[in-house]
Amino acid sequence: MKFCKKYQEYMQGQEKKLPGVGFKKLKKILKKCRRNSSSLPAITCPDHCPVCDGTFFPSLLNEMSDVVGCFNQRAQKLLELHLASGFRKYFFWIKGKLQGNHTALIQEGKDLVTYALINAIAIRKILKKYDKIHYSKQGQLFKSQVQSMHKEILQSPWLCELMAFHINLRETKVKSRKAPAFFDGCSLTLKDGKPSLTCELFDSIKVDIDLTCSICLDTVFDPVSLTCGHIFCYICACSAASVSIVNGLKNADHKGRCPLCREGAVYEGAVRLEELNILLSRSCQEYWEQRLQTERQERVKLIKEHWDSQCRAFVGV
């Protein structure tokens, strides 16, 4: 079965109508371009084709924005439910959000990861088709531009959180001697003492997330993902953004650049990766205990320095 048909069947089979890639519509635009270009002496239309560029890329960009927005919103709500505790958990239960059981949360997590990956495949295939028809690299260039606009679904920090969520649940199930849920495509691997999060499913789509902070060159501690997709220790990210941990990244310059890729405006919308934090604390226990002690001392020192400077500023010293 061709992917286009498989994709349409998948999207139609969803209980709730979800935004997706208009695969069939985009292919029709490309066919129209092929017909128009067949009358030309060359077998391709120009790199900047008015037939395609006026409708193809704007349509695809809007669809990608809708897909990423839907995925982020649903993943955030799911993880809020899973991490809720105390009064907050009781509040969610009263509102009816926790109706159903633990299995329902697991299934929704699996469905969200599948939704992200199948849409990533659809986008990859339609851009590849564009480049094949035009004999160009405009499709790949568009993909790079979309990544800088934070519209690439595989770049979403919530995908990383869902992968960690899956592994945490799977390990909990194994310890309680119940069959593992979700799927077996996600794993935390250690190579030369450096951890990475990997998810490999259908159609050769592989997500490989490096969990080494490029600032302190150690395993990320209290991880935070910037909007460009790069992950750092929270204290390292605050240092790079020239803000104190008291004020946090919300006070960072809105034009601030990622210390790794130098992309701008990456601190607004940064996400604290709580599920990943839980996973790493379980998987690297010895390291985590050592880092916890040194981090606590460093934070106390930084907080003291912050309030000392505030007091001096207040009295005019």
Side-chain angles (χ1 to χ4, degrees), residues 81-94 98:
L81 289 177
H82 182 241
L83 293 167
S85 60
F87 176 76
R88 195 175 177 206
K89 191 166 189 173
Y90 178 73
F91 177 71
F92 281 139
W93 180 78
I94 291 292
L98 287 179

Side-chain angles (χ1 to χ4, degrees), residues 46-64:
D47 282 348
H48 300 287
C49 168
V51 177
C52 291
D53 297 1
T55 51
F56 180 86
F57 288 129
S59 295
L60 182 56
L61 181 60
N62 288 336
E63 288 162 359
M64 289 175 75

Side-chain angles (χ1 to χ4, degrees), residues 17-76:
K17 190 175 180 181
L18 301 174
V21 177
F23 210 86
K24 205 170 181 180
K25 179 185 73 177
L26 293 170
K27 283 181 77 176
K28 281 182 180 177
I29 294 171
L30 293 178
K31 281 181 182 178
K32 184 180 178 183
C33 170
R34 184 181 286 173
R35 285 197 302 271
N36 288 1
S37 63
S38 62
S39 60
L40 299 173
I43 57 169
T44 65
C45 61
D47 282 348
H48 300 287
C49 168
V51 177
C52 291
D53 297 1
T55 51
F56 180 86
F57 288 129
S59 295
L60 182 56
L61 181 60
N62 288 336
E63 288 162 359
M64 289 175 75
S65 299
D66 292 342
V67 167
V68 171
C70 173
F71 172 77
N72 288 347
Q73 186 180 38
R74 290 186 64 189
Q76 187 174 2

Side-chain angles (χ1 to χ4, degrees), residues 27-293:
K27 283 181 77 176
K28 281 182 180 177
I29 294 171
L30 293 178
K31 281 181 182 178
K32 184 180 178 183
C33 170
R34 184 181 286 173
R35 285 197 302 271
N36 288 1
S37 63
S38 62
S39 60
L40 299 173
I43 57 169
T44 65
C45 61
D47 282 348
H48 300 287
C49 168
V51 177
C52 291
D53 297 1
T55 51
F56 180 86
F57 288 129
S59 295
L60 182 56
L61 181 60
N62 288 336
E63 288 162 359
M64 289 175 75
S65 299
D66 292 342
V67 167
V68 171
C70 173
F71 172 77
N72 288 347
Q73 186 180 38
R74 290 186 64 189
Q76 187 174 2
K77 283 182 179 178
L78 171 69
L79 293 167
E80 278 179 357
L81 289 177
H82 182 241
L83 293 167
S85 60
F87 176 76
R88 195 175 177 206
K89 191 166 189 173
Y90 178 73
F91 177 71
F92 281 139
W93 180 78
I94 291 292
K95 286 181 73 176
K97 286 189 176 181
L98 287 179
Q99 289 178 356
N101 52 28
H102 206 53
T103 308
L105 286 180
I106 295 168
Q107 185 58 44
E108 188 174 351
K110 177 182 177 180
D111 291 345
L112 279 172
V113 173
T114 305
Y115 173 72
L117 293 176
I118 200 166
N119 276 286
I121 294 167
I123 292 161
R124 185 184 70 177
K125 283 186 176 292
I126 200 68
L127 288 175
K128 192 175 179 181
K129 192 169 187 68
Y130 177 95
D131 283 346
K132 186 178 178 181
I133 288 173
H134 291 78
Y135 287 80
S136 74
K137 293 185 178 178
Q138 289 298 314
Q140 294 307 309
L141 181 62
F142 171 77
K143 190 175 180 181
S144 300
Q145 291 170 344
V146 164
Q147 286 174 346
S148 67
M149 295 164 67
H150 314 137
K151 303 295 183 185
E152 166 64 71
I153 197 163
L154 296 182
Q155 203 178 13
S156 170
W158 296 108
L159 181 59
C160 175
E161 275 288 81
L162 281 174
M163 288 162 64
F165 165 69
H166 154 55
I167 299 169
N168 287 334
L169 285 177
R170 186 175 63 193
E171 290 180 356
T172 303
K173 291 288 182 183
V174 169
K175 286 177 184 177
S176 61
R177 295 184 181 180
K178 292 182 182 178
F182 234 38
F183 46 86
D184 297 323
C186 295
S187 62
L188 179 71
T189 57
L190 288 167
K191 188 176 181 181
D192 300 326
K194 302 293 182 182
S196 63
L197 204 56
T198 303
C199 184
E200 187 170 6
L201 289 183
F202 41 80
D203 205 67
S204 303
I205 281 284
K206 184 177 181 180
V207 182
D208 199 358
I209 302 170
D210 184 15
L211 300 178
T212 300
C213 175
S214 59
I215 297 175
C216 66
L217 303 179
D218 221 331
T219 300
V220 287
F221 183 88
D222 189 12
V224 60
S225 175
L226 306 186
T227 53
C228 59
H230 291 119
I231 300 172
F232 302 93
C233 306
Y234 186 73
I235 199 168
C236 293
C238 287
S239 175
S242 302
V243 294
S244 72
I245 59 169
V246 177
N247 294 326
L249 293 177
K250 63 181 182 294
N251 278 21
D253 180 3
H254 71 281
K255 293 182 180 178
R257 295 180 178 277
C258 170
L260 185 58
C261 67
R262 307 307 299 161
E263 186 178 321
V266 293
Y267 292 105
E268 190 177 354
V271 176
R272 299 285 285 271
L273 304 176
E274 296 180 56
E275 286 285 354
L276 180 59
N277 198 45
I278 293 168
L279 173 61
L280 289 171
S281 67
R282 288 175 177 175
S283 305
C284 313
Q285 290 182 4
E286 188 177 341
Y287 161 76
W288 213 254
E289 288 299 323
Q290 293 173 355
R291 183 72 186 263
L292 192 62
Q293 291 178 12

